[in-house]
Amino acid sequence: MLPKTHAVSAIKNWTVMLAATFLSIEAFADFDSSVLAASDSAKIAWHQVAAPSGNVLLMRNDEGTCAIRFTSFQATGGSTPPTTFSSGDKTYTADYEWSFAVKQSSTGVQYGSGRATKGALWGIGRSAFGGGDPYIRCGPMKALWLPRASISFSDKVTCKAAVYQLAPTRWKSLSQVRLDDLEMKWFECDENRKLFYIPERDL
């Protein structure tokens, strides 16, 4: 059994580690009240892109192109102050529909739907667990979702692990997607890029 002074010191260290973990998560998500509000503009950050609310967001790599449209968003539960063992966050849930087209293939398009969640973390520092399932799955692709409707280039806080390009669109339905549209604006992860917005009319 640890002496009292050692036990107190250990708890303080765990608390600091936990706070650092949550800080990095929230900083990565650009998490504030404006993130949760519906928007009629596309959001472009260095590590994530969001289409205007209800619009299609495209994601591509060497395998093909995925079209994703978020159909609902909810924030549930009470937000409580963080403790040593819990982040105290609300639970955020987004439903989405997707279509996936294989690159240079005539096999057709796959369709599906899914749900992503981000909830409170439980535990201490690196041992924290929970937090829901914050990943978008579209055919063979898997990408990190950030509330309200952003998709990240990578689930790491660095562009070195980025594997996707992202493009917000003006389309309101998956059936409207045209991958040969030359006006689409594709973005890559860029650690030097400052946050900016693109009105829907300019997409």
Side-chain angles (χ1 to χ4, degrees), residues 159-201:
C159 286
K160 293 181 179 179
V163 294
Y164 299 120
Q165 293 179 323
L166 298 168
T169 77
R170 61 187 180 279
W171 298 314
K172 304 288 187 181
S173 168
L174 297 181
S175 63
Q176 295 177 309
V177 173
R178 289 181 48 205
L179 298 182
D180 59 349
D181 188 339
L182 299 179
E183 295 184 1
M184 282 190 294
K185 298 176 175 65
W186 288 96
F187 295 92
E188 297 181 344
C189 190
D190 182 353
E191 295 179 16
N192 296 316
R193 181 168 57 230
K194 302 297 183 181
L195 174 66
F196 69 96
Y197 296 87
I198 303 175
E200 181 181 41
R201 63 179 179 275

mmCIF file of all heavy atoms in Angstrom, residues 159-201:
data_model
loop_
_atom_site.group_PDB
_atom_site.id
_atom_site.type_symbol
_atom_site.label_atom_id
_atom_site.label_comp_id
_atom_site.label_asym_id
_atom_site.label_seq_id
_atom_site.Cartn_x
_atom_site.Cartn_y
_atom_site.Cartn_z
ATOM 1 N N CYS A 159 -0.259 15.557 -39.993
ATOM 2 C CA CYS A 159 -0.599 15.269 -41.387
ATOM 3 C C CYS A 159 0.192 14.089 -41.946
ATOM 4 O O CYS A 159 -0.098 13.626 -43.056
ATOM 5 C CB CYS A 159 -0.360 16.510 -42.250
ATOM 6 S SG CYS A 159 -1.602 17.818 -42.016
ATOM 7 N N LYS A 160 1.187 13.624 -41.219
ATOM 8 C CA LYS A 160 2.024 12.542 -41.723
ATOM 9 C C LYS A 160 1.224 11.271 -41.964
ATOM 10 O O LYS A 160 1.583 10.461 -42.822
ATOM 11 C CB LYS A 160 3.165 12.265 -40.752
ATOM 12 C CG LYS A 160 4.179 13.407 -40.650
ATOM 13 C CD LYS A 160 5.303 13.062 -39.678
ATOM 14 C CE LYS A 160 6.311 14.194 -39.594
ATOM 15 N NZ LYS A 160 7.407 13.901 -38.632
ATOM 16 N N ALA A 161 0.143 11.080 -41.185
ATOM 17 C CA ALA A 161 -0.657 9.869 -41.305
ATOM 18 C C ALA A 161 -1.894 10.061 -42.182
ATOM 19 O O ALA A 161 -2.729 9.173 -42.296
ATOM 20 C CB ALA A 161 -1.080 9.383 -39.921
ATOM 21 N N ALA A 162 -2.029 11.235 -42.806
ATOM 22 C CA ALA A 162 -3.207 11.524 -43.627
ATOM 23 C C ALA A 162 -3.250 10.632 -44.867
ATOM 24 O O ALA A 162 -2.240 10.446 -45.544
ATOM 25 C CB ALA A 162 -3.210 12.991 -44.036
ATOM 26 N N VAL A 163 -4.421 10.093 -45.148
ATOM 27 C CA VAL A 163 -4.554 9.173 -46.290
ATOM 28 C C VAL A 163 -5.667 9.579 -47.249
ATOM 29 O O VAL A 163 -5.854 8.942 -48.281
ATOM 30 C CB VAL A 163 -4.811 7.731 -45.811
ATOM 31 C CG1 VAL A 163 -3.603 7.190 -45.074
ATOM 32 C CG2 VAL A 163 -6.041 7.663 -44.908
ATOM 33 N N TYR A 164 -6.425 10.641 -46.916
ATOM 34 C CA TYR A 164 -7.557 11.025 -47.738
ATOM 35 C C TYR A 164 -7.448 12.468 -48.231
ATOM 36 O O TYR A 164 -6.776 13.301 -47.633
ATOM 37 C CB TYR A 164 -8.865 10.905 -46.945
ATOM 38 C CG TYR A 164 -9.176 9.509 -46.470
ATOM 39 C CD1 TYR A 164 -9.308 9.229 -45.113
ATOM 40 C CD2 TYR A 164 -9.333 8.469 -47.380
ATOM 41 C CE1 TYR A 164 -9.594 7.950 -44.676
ATOM 42 C CE2 TYR A 164 -9.616 7.194 -46.949
ATOM 43 C CZ TYR A 164 -9.748 6.935 -45.599
ATOM 44 O OH TYR A 164 -10.020 5.674 -45.172
ATOM 45 N N GLN A 165 -8.146 12.738 -49.322
ATOM 46 C CA GLN A 165 -8.467 14.088 -49.746
ATOM 47 C C GLN A 165 -9.959 14.271 -49.523
ATOM 48 O O GLN A 165 -10.739 13.321 -49.660
ATOM 49 C CB GLN A 165 -8.125 14.295 -51.222
ATOM 50 C CG GLN A 165 -6.647 14.250 -51.541
ATOM 51 C CD GLN A 165 -6.385 14.447 -53.028
ATOM 52 O OE1 GLN A 165 -7.134 13.975 -53.881
ATOM 53 N NE2 GLN A 165 -5.311 15.168 -53.338
ATOM 54 N N LEU A 166 -10.380 15.487 -49.178
ATOM 55 C CA LEU A 166 -11.774 15.758 -48.864
ATOM 56 C C LEU A 166 -12.291 16.936 -49.682
ATOM 57 O O LEU A 166 -11.546 17.885 -49.951
ATOM 58 C CB LEU A 166 -11.932 16.071 -47.373
ATOM 59 C CG LEU A 166 -11.539 14.946 -46.404
ATOM 60 C CD1 LEU A 166 -11.463 15.480 -44.985
ATOM 61 C CD2 LEU A 166 -12.523 13.794 -46.494
ATOM 62 N N ALA A 167 -13.568 16.863 -50.067
ATOM 63 C CA ALA A 167 -14.179 17.933 -50.854
ATOM 64 C C ALA A 167 -15.613 18.182 -50.404
ATOM 65 O O ALA A 167 -16.459 17.287 -50.513
ATOM 66 C CB ALA A 167 -14.154 17.580 -52.343
ATOM 67 N N PRO A 168 -15.909 19.369 -49.879
ATOM 68 C CA PRO A 168 -17.302 19.714 -49.568
ATOM 69 C C PRO A 168 -18.043 20.012 -50.869
ATOM 70 O O PRO A 168 -17.434 20.478 -51.842
ATOM 71 C CB PRO A 168 -17.163 20.967 -48.703
ATOM 72 C CG PRO A 168 -15.894 21.605 -49.185
ATOM 73 C CD PRO A 168 -14.984 20.467 -49.585
ATOM 74 N N THR A 169 -19.336 19.746 -50.916
ATOM 75 C CA THR A 169 -20.089 19.978 -52.158
ATOM 76 C C THR A 169 -21.391 20.730 -51.870
ATOM 77 O O THR A 169 -21.813 20.877 -50.733
ATOM 78 C CB THR A 169 -20.448 18.653 -52.863
ATOM 79 O OG1 THR A 169 -21.556 18.027 -52.181
ATOM 80 C CG2 THR A 169 -19.255 17.698 -52.869
ATOM 81 N N ARG A 170 -22.042 21.155 -52.946
ATOM 82 C CA ARG A 170 -23.333 21.831 -52.856
ATOM 83 C C ARG A 170 -24.485 20.829 -52.957
ATOM 84 O O ARG A 170 -25.653 21.205 -52.815
ATOM 85 C CB ARG A 170 -23.471 22.844 -53.995
ATOM 86 C CG ARG A 170 -23.403 22.216 -55.379
ATOM 87 C CD ARG A 170 -23.372 23.258 -56.487
ATOM 88 N NE ARG A 170 -23.298 22.651 -57.808
ATOM 89 C CZ ARG A 170 -22.186 22.209 -58.370
ATOM 90 N NH1 ARG A 170 -21.034 22.309 -57.711
ATOM 91 N NH2 ARG A 170 -22.197 21.674 -59.588
ATOM 92 N N TRP A 171 -24.179 19.562 -53.216
ATOM 93 C CA TRP A 171 -25.212 18.544 -53.440
ATOM 94 C C TRP A 171 -25.942 18.165 -52.162
ATOM 95 O O TRP A 171 -25.333 17.994 -51.110
ATOM 96 C CB TRP A 171 -24.594 17.315 -54.092
ATOM 97 C CG TRP A 171 -23.995 17.611 -55.436
ATOM 98 C CD1 TRP A 171 -24.549 18.333 -56.439
ATOM 99 C CD2 TRP A 171 -22.710 17.198 -55.909
ATOM 100 N NE1 TRP A 171 -23.691 18.396 -57.525
ATOM 101 C CE2 TRP A 171 -22.559 17.707 -57.224
ATOM 102 C CE3 TRP A 171 -21.664 16.447 -55.361
ATOM 103 C CZ2 TRP A 171 -21.418 17.485 -57.984
ATOM 104 C CZ3 TRP A 171 -20.525 16.220 -56.109
ATOM 105 C CH2 TRP A 171 -20.410 16.734 -57.419
ATOM 106 N N LYS A 172 -27.259 17.985 -52.292
ATOM 107 C CA LYS A 172 -28.114 17.651 -51.162
ATOM 108 C C LYS A 172 -28.474 16.172 -51.116
ATOM 109 O O LYS A 172 -29.104 15.710 -50.170
ATOM 110 C CB LYS A 172 -29.421 18.462 -51.241
ATOM 111 C CG LYS A 172 -29.235 19.969 -51.315
ATOM 112 C CD LYS A 172 -28.773 20.537 -49.993
ATOM 113 C CE LYS A 172 -28.766 22.062 -50.034
ATOM 114 N NZ LYS A 172 -28.285 22.654 -48.746
ATOM 115 N N SER A 173 -28.085 15.430 -52.134
ATOM 116 C CA SER A 173 -28.444 14.015 -52.219
ATOM 117 C C SER A 173 -27.297 13.227 -52.840
ATOM 118 O O SER A 173 -26.570 13.748 -53.702
ATOM 119 C CB SER A 173 -29.715 13.848 -53.066
ATOM 120 O OG SER A 173 -29.935 12.490 -53.386
ATOM 121 N N LEU A 174 -27.144 11.970 -52.436
ATOM 122 C CA LEU A 174 -26.113 11.118 -53.022
ATOM 123 C C LEU A 174 -26.355 10.908 -54.514
ATOM 124 O O LEU A 174 -25.408 10.720 -55.279
ATOM 125 C CB LEU A 174 -26.079 9.756 -52.312
ATOM 126 C CG LEU A 174 -25.721 9.754 -50.819
ATOM 127 C CD1 LEU A 174 -25.713 8.325 -50.287
ATOM 128 C CD2 LEU A 174 -24.363 10.414 -50.585
ATOM 129 N N SER A 175 -27.619 10.964 -54.925
ATOM 130 C CA SER A 175 -27.939 10.745 -56.337
ATOM 131 C C SER A 175 -27.465 11.890 -57.223
ATOM 132 O O SER A 175 -27.389 11.752 -58.448
ATOM 133 C CB SER A 175 -29.457 10.556 -56.510
ATOM 134 O OG SER A 175 -30.155 11.726 -56.114
ATOM 135 N N GLN A 176 -27.142 13.039 -56.631
ATOM 136 C CA GLN A 176 -26.687 14.192 -57.407
ATOM 137 C C GLN A 176 -25.177 14.193 -57.653
ATOM 138 O O GLN A 176 -24.680 15.001 -58.440
ATOM 139 C CB GLN A 176 -27.061 15.488 -56.674
ATOM 140 C CG GLN A 176 -28.553 15.743 -56.546
ATOM 141 C CD GLN A 176 -28.840 17.010 -55.755
ATOM 142 O OE1 GLN A 176 -28.318 17.201 -54.660
ATOM 143 N NE2 GLN A 176 -29.675 17.884 -56.312
ATOM 144 N N VAL A 177 -24.459 13.304 -56.986
ATOM 145 C CA VAL A 177 -22.994 13.323 -57.042
ATOM 146 C C VAL A 177 -22.490 13.051 -58.450
ATOM 147 O O VAL A 177 -22.911 12.100 -59.112
ATOM 148 C CB VAL A 177 -22.399 12.285 -56.068
ATOM 149 C CG1 VAL A 177 -20.885 12.184 -56.243
ATOM 150 C CG2 VAL A 177 -22.740 12.663 -54.629
ATOM 151 N N ARG A 178 -21.583 13.900 -58.897
ATOM 152 C CA ARG A 178 -20.917 13.723 -60.189
ATOM 153 C C ARG A 178 -19.412 13.829 -59.958
ATOM 154 O O ARG A 178 -18.885 14.916 -59.701
ATOM 155 C CB ARG A 178 -21.363 14.812 -61.176
ATOM 156 C CG ARG A 178 -22.799 14.681 -61.665
ATOM 157 C CD ARG A 178 -23.100 15.793 -62.651
ATOM 158 N NE ARG A 178 -22.047 15.925 -63.660
ATOM 159 C CZ ARG A 178 -21.784 17.049 -64.317
ATOM 160 N NH1 ARG A 178 -22.471 18.143 -64.042
ATOM 161 N NH2 ARG A 178 -20.829 17.085 -65.230
ATOM 162 N N LEU A 179 -18.747 12.710 -60.051
ATOM 163 C CA LEU A 179 -17.317 12.688 -59.765
ATOM 164 C C LEU A 179 -16.489 13.363 -60.857
ATOM 165 O O LEU A 179 -15.297 13.627 -60.653
ATOM 166 C CB LEU A 179 -16.851 11.239 -59.569
ATOM 167 C CG LEU A 179 -17.491 10.498 -58.389
ATOM 168 C CD1 LEU A 179 -16.920 9.098 -58.271
ATOM 169 C CD2 LEU A 179 -17.308 11.274 -57.092
ATOM 170 N N ASP A 180 -17.105 13.657 -62.007
ATOM 171 C CA ASP A 180 -16.377 14.326 -63.085
ATOM 172 C C ASP A 180 -16.565 15.846 -63.045
ATOM 173 O O ASP A 180 -16.149 16.560 -63.965
ATOM 174 C CB ASP A 180 -16.829 13.787 -64.449
ATOM 175 C CG ASP A 180 -18.327 13.994 -64.695
ATOM 176 O OD1 ASP A 180 -19.054 14.357 -63.735
ATOM 177 O OD2 ASP A 180 -18.778 13.784 -65.827
ATOM 178 N N ASP A 181 -17.173 16.363 -61.972
ATOM 179 C CA ASP A 181 -17.397 17.797 -61.839
ATOM 180 C C ASP A 181 -16.056 18.494 -61.596
ATOM 181 O O ASP A 181 -15.428 18.320 -60.547
ATOM 182 C CB ASP A 181 -18.349 18.059 -60.674
ATOM 183 C CG ASP A 181 -18.773 19.519 -60.592
ATOM 184 O OD1 ASP A 181 -18.062 20.374 -61.154
ATOM 185 O OD2 ASP A 181 -19.804 19.807 -59.959
ATOM 186 N N LEU A 182 -15.625 19.288 -62.539
ATOM 187 C CA LEU A 182 -14.314 19.938 -62.451
ATOM 188 C C LEU A 182 -14.294 21.117 -61.478
ATOM 189 O O LEU A 182 -13.224 21.643 -61.163
ATOM 190 C CB LEU A 182 -13.882 20.423 -63.847
ATOM 191 C CG LEU A 182 -13.725 19.329 -64.909
ATOM 192 C CD1 LEU A 182 -13.315 19.946 -66.240
ATOM 193 C CD2 LEU A 182 -12.703 18.289 -64.466
ATOM 194 N N GLU A 183 -15.478 21.542 -60.988
ATOM 195 C CA GLU A 183 -15.533 22.668 -60.068
ATOM 196 C C GLU A 183 -15.353 22.257 -58.603
ATOM 197 O O GLU A 183 -15.290 23.116 -57.719
ATOM 198 C CB GLU A 183 -16.862 23.399 -60.236
ATOM 199 C CG GLU A 183 -17.023 24.053 -61.611
ATOM 200 C CD GLU A 183 -18.313 24.848 -61.702
ATOM 201 O OE1 GLU A 183 -19.061 24.897 -60.695
ATOM 202 O OE2 GLU A 183 -18.577 25.415 -62.767
ATOM 203 N N MET A 184 -15.263 20.963 -58.348
ATOM 204 C CA MET A 184 -15.085 20.508 -56.972
ATOM 205 C C MET A 184 -13.757 20.986 -56.411
ATOM 206 O O MET A 184 -12.747 21.002 -57.120
ATOM 207 C CB MET A 184 -15.167 18.980 -56.888
ATOM 208 C CG MET A 184 -16.578 18.442 -56.951
ATOM 209 S SD MET A 184 -16.644 16.678 -56.568
ATOM 210 C CE MET A 184 -15.756 15.992 -57.962
ATOM 211 N N LYS A 185 -13.767 21.377 -55.135
ATOM 212 C CA LYS A 185 -12.563 21.858 -54.459
ATOM 213 C C LYS A 185 -12.065 20.772 -53.511
ATOM 214 O O LYS A 185 -12.682 20.506 -52.473
ATOM 215 C CB LYS A 185 -12.873 23.147 -53.702
ATOM 216 C CG LYS A 185 -13.322 24.304 -54.584
ATOM 217 C CD LYS A 185 -13.701 25.516 -53.732
ATOM 218 C CE LYS A 185 -14.038 26.733 -54.601
ATOM 219 N NZ LYS A 185 -15.248 26.500 -55.429
ATOM 220 N N TRP A 186 -10.949 20.148 -53.870
ATOM 221 C CA TRP A 186 -10.376 19.079 -53.055
ATOM 222 C C TRP A 186 -9.308 19.642 -52.126
ATOM 223 O O TRP A 186 -8.519 20.491 -52.525
ATOM 224 C CB TRP A 186 -9.769 17.995 -53.937
ATOM 225 C CG TRP A 186 -10.787 17.161 -54.648
ATOM 226 C CD1 TRP A 186 -11.252 17.323 -55.908
ATOM 227 C CD2 TRP A 186 -11.479 16.027 -54.112
ATOM 228 N NE1 TRP A 186 -12.183 16.366 -56.213
ATOM 229 C CE2 TRP A 186 -12.346 15.562 -55.124
ATOM 230 C CE3 TRP A 186 -11.447 15.361 -52.883
ATOM 231 C CZ2 TRP A 186 -13.166 14.446 -54.932
ATOM 232 C CZ3 TRP A 186 -12.269 14.255 -52.690
ATOM 233 C CH2 TRP A 186 -13.115 13.808 -53.707
ATOM 234 N N PHE A 187 -9.287 19.134 -50.900
ATOM 235 C CA PHE A 187 -8.323 19.605 -49.906
ATOM 236 C C PHE A 187 -7.530 18.430 -49.327
ATOM 237 O O PHE A 187 -8.070 17.331 -49.169
ATOM 238 C CB PHE A 187 -9.038 20.345 -48.768
ATOM 239 C CG PHE A 187 -9.710 21.606 -49.204
ATOM 240 C CD1 PHE A 187 -11.043 21.592 -49.599
ATOM 241 C CD2 PHE A 187 -9.011 22.808 -49.229
ATOM 242 C CE1 PHE A 187 -11.673 22.757 -50.004
ATOM 243 C CE2 PHE A 187 -9.629 23.979 -49.638
ATOM 244 C CZ PHE A 187 -10.963 23.957 -50.033
ATOM 245 N N GLU A 188 -6.260 18.709 -49.042
ATOM 246 C CA GLU A 188 -5.407 17.757 -48.351
ATOM 247 C C GLU A 188 -5.068 18.296 -46.971
ATOM 248 O O GLU A 188 -5.227 19.487 -46.701
ATOM 249 C CB GLU A 188 -4.119 17.517 -49.153
ATOM 250 C CG GLU A 188 -4.348 16.903 -50.524
ATOM 251 C CD GLU A 188 -3.045 16.662 -51.261
ATOM 252 O OE1 GLU A 188 -2.005 17.240 -50.839
ATOM 253 O OE2 GLU A 188 -3.052 15.914 -52.256
ATOM 254 N N CYS A 189 -4.608 17.425 -46.094
ATOM 255 C CA CYS A 189 -4.191 17.855 -44.762
ATOM 256 C C CYS A 189 -3.034 18.852 -44.894
ATOM 257 O O CYS A 189 -2.092 18.636 -45.646
ATOM 258 C CB CYS A 189 -3.749 16.637 -43.949
ATOM 259 S SG CYS A 189 -3.488 16.966 -42.203
ATOM 260 N N ASP A 190 -3.126 19.966 -44.161
ATOM 261 C CA ASP A 190 -2.112 21.014 -44.247
ATOM 262 C C ASP A 190 -1.982 21.681 -42.878
ATOM 263 O O ASP A 190 -2.842 22.459 -42.467
ATOM 264 C CB ASP A 190 -2.504 22.044 -45.304
ATOM 265 C CG ASP A 190 -1.471 23.147 -45.473
ATOM 266 O OD1 ASP A 190 -0.504 23.197 -44.693
ATOM 267 O OD2 ASP A 190 -1.646 23.980 -46.387
ATOM 268 N N GLU A 191 -0.911 21.380 -42.173
ATOM 269 C CA GLU A 191 -0.737 21.872 -40.810
ATOM 270 C C GLU A 191 -0.534 23.386 -40.751
ATOM 271 O O GLU A 191 -0.622 23.981 -39.665
ATOM 272 C CB GLU A 191 0.426 21.145 -40.137
ATOM 273 C CG GLU A 191 0.144 19.653 -39.957
ATOM 274 C CD GLU A 191 1.299 18.907 -39.323
ATOM 275 O OE1 GLU A 191 2.196 19.545 -38.755
ATOM 276 O OE2 GLU A 191 1.308 17.662 -39.399
ATOM 277 N N ASN A 192 -0.288 24.023 -41.878
ATOM 278 C CA ASN A 192 -0.104 25.480 -41.905
ATOM 279 C C ASN A 192 -1.384 26.224 -42.292
ATOM 280 O O ASN A 192 -1.393 27.458 -42.305
ATOM 281 C CB ASN A 192 1.009 25.848 -42.884
ATOM 282 C CG ASN A 192 2.362 25.311 -42.449
ATOM 283 O OD1 ASN A 192 2.722 25.403 -41.281
ATOM 284 N ND2 ASN A 192 3.103 24.729 -43.386
ATOM 285 N N ARG A 193 -2.444 25.491 -42.612
ATOM 286 C CA ARG A 193 -3.668 26.152 -43.064
ATOM 287 C C ARG A 193 -4.471 26.682 -41.875
ATOM 288 O O ARG A 193 -4.672 25.987 -40.871
ATOM 289 C CB ARG A 193 -4.531 25.162 -43.863
ATOM 290 C CG ARG A 193 -5.819 25.788 -44.398
ATOM 291 C CD ARG A 193 -6.492 24.886 -45.418
ATOM 292 N NE ARG A 193 -6.781 23.574 -44.889
ATOM 293 C CZ ARG A 193 -6.460 22.426 -45.508
ATOM 294 N NH1 ARG A 193 -5.848 22.440 -46.671
ATOM 295 N NH2 ARG A 193 -6.756 21.269 -44.970
ATOM 296 N N LYS A 194 -4.939 27.898 -42.001
ATOM 297 C CA LYS A 194 -5.815 28.500 -41.006
ATOM 298 C C LYS A 194 -7.264 28.155 -41.323
ATOM 299 O O LYS A 194 -7.643 27.980 -42.484
ATOM 300 C CB LYS A 194 -5.632 30.022 -40.975
ATOM 301 C CG LYS A 194 -4.212 30.494 -40.686
ATOM 302 C CD LYS A 194 -3.754 30.069 -39.303
ATOM 303 C CE LYS A 194 -2.369 30.613 -38.994
ATOM 304 N NZ LYS A 194 -1.879 30.189 -37.651
ATOM 305 N N LEU A 195 -8.072 28.063 -40.286
ATOM 306 C CA LEU A 195 -9.488 27.766 -40.450
ATOM 307 C C LEU A 195 -10.176 28.823 -41.306
ATOM 308 O O LEU A 195 -9.995 30.015 -41.096
ATOM 309 C CB LEU A 195 -10.160 27.710 -39.077
ATOM 310 C CG LEU A 195 -11.685 27.557 -39.051
ATOM 311 C CD1 LEU A 195 -12.089 26.200 -39.604
ATOM 312 C CD2 LEU A 195 -12.201 27.734 -37.629
ATOM 313 N N PHE A 196 -10.971 28.359 -42.304
ATOM 314 C CA PHE A 196 -11.781 29.289 -43.084
ATOM 315 C C PHE A 196 -13.050 28.592 -43.541
ATOM 316 O O PHE A 196 -13.207 27.379 -43.401
ATOM 317 C CB PHE A 196 -10.994 29.843 -44.279
ATOM 318 C CG PHE A 196 -10.688 28.849 -45.368
ATOM 319 C CD1 PHE A 196 -11.501 28.753 -46.493
ATOM 320 C CD2 PHE A 196 -9.578 28.018 -45.285
ATOM 321 C CE1 PHE A 196 -11.218 27.852 -47.515
ATOM 322 C CE2 PHE A 196 -9.284 27.112 -46.298
ATOM 323 C CZ PHE A 196 -10.110 27.033 -47.411
ATOM 324 N N TYR A 197 -13.978 29.388 -44.084
ATOM 325 C CA TYR A 197 -15.293 28.873 -44.493
ATOM 326 C C TYR A 197 -15.567 29.234 -45.946
ATOM 327 O O TYR A 197 -15.124 30.266 -46.439
ATOM 328 C CB TYR A 197 -16.385 29.447 -43.597
ATOM 329 C CG TYR A 197 -16.262 29.012 -42.142
ATOM 330 C CD1 TYR A 197 -15.464 29.719 -41.254
ATOM 331 C CD2 TYR A 197 -16.965 27.891 -41.670
ATOM 332 C CE1 TYR A 197 -15.346 29.319 -39.923
ATOM 333 C CE2 TYR A 197 -16.842 27.483 -40.358
ATOM 334 C CZ TYR A 197 -16.029 28.200 -39.486
ATOM 335 O OH TYR A 197 -15.899 27.797 -38.183
ATOM 336 N N ILE A 198 -16.326 28.365 -46.615
ATOM 337 C CA ILE A 198 -16.723 28.606 -48.002
ATOM 338 C C ILE A 198 -18.249 28.581 -48.064
ATOM 339 O O ILE A 198 -18.867 27.547 -47.753
ATOM 340 C CB ILE A 198 -16.174 27.519 -48.958
ATOM 341 C CG1 ILE A 198 -14.650 27.439 -48.855
ATOM 342 C CG2 ILE A 198 -16.590 27.822 -50.389
ATOM 343 C CD1 ILE A 198 -14.041 26.301 -49.688
ATOM 344 N N PRO A 199 -18.898 29.668 -48.453
ATOM 345 C CA PRO A 199 -20.362 29.666 -48.581
ATOM 346 C C PRO A 199 -20.814 28.610 -49.595
ATOM 347 O O PRO A 199 -20.122 28.329 -50.575
ATOM 348 C CB PRO A 199 -20.669 31.080 -49.093
ATOM 349 C CG PRO A 199 -19.483 31.901 -48.663
ATOM 350 C CD PRO A 199 -18.317 30.978 -48.766
ATOM 351 N N GLU A 200 -21.986 28.060 -49.342
ATOM 352 C CA GLU A 200 -22.495 27.002 -50.210
ATOM 353 C C GLU A 200 -22.578 27.455 -51.665
ATOM 354 O O GLU A 200 -22.295 26.673 -52.586
ATOM 355 C CB GLU A 200 -23.884 26.567 -49.725
ATOM 356 C CG GLU A 200 -24.489 25.437 -50.551
ATOM 357 C CD GLU A 200 -25.864 25.054 -50.050
ATOM 358 O OE1 GLU A 200 -26.634 25.982 -49.700
ATOM 359 O OE2 GLU A 200 -26.160 23.860 -50.011
ATOM 360 N N ARG A 201 -22.920 28.694 -51.905
ATOM 361 C CA ARG A 201 -23.083 29.193 -53.277
ATOM 362 C C ARG A 201 -21.749 29.164 -54.048
ATOM 363 O O ARG A 201 -21.754 29.217 -55.293
ATOM 364 C CB ARG A 201 -23.617 30.610 -53.260
ATOM 365 C CG ARG A 201 -22.714 31.651 -52.608
ATOM 366 C CD ARG A 201 -23.294 33.049 -52.648
ATOM 367 N NE ARG A 201 -22.415 34.024 -52.005
ATOM 368 C CZ ARG A 201 -22.407 34.275 -50.702
ATOM 369 N NH1 ARG A 201 -23.259 33.631 -49.910
ATOM 370 N NH2 ARG A 201 -21.566 35.162 -50.192
#
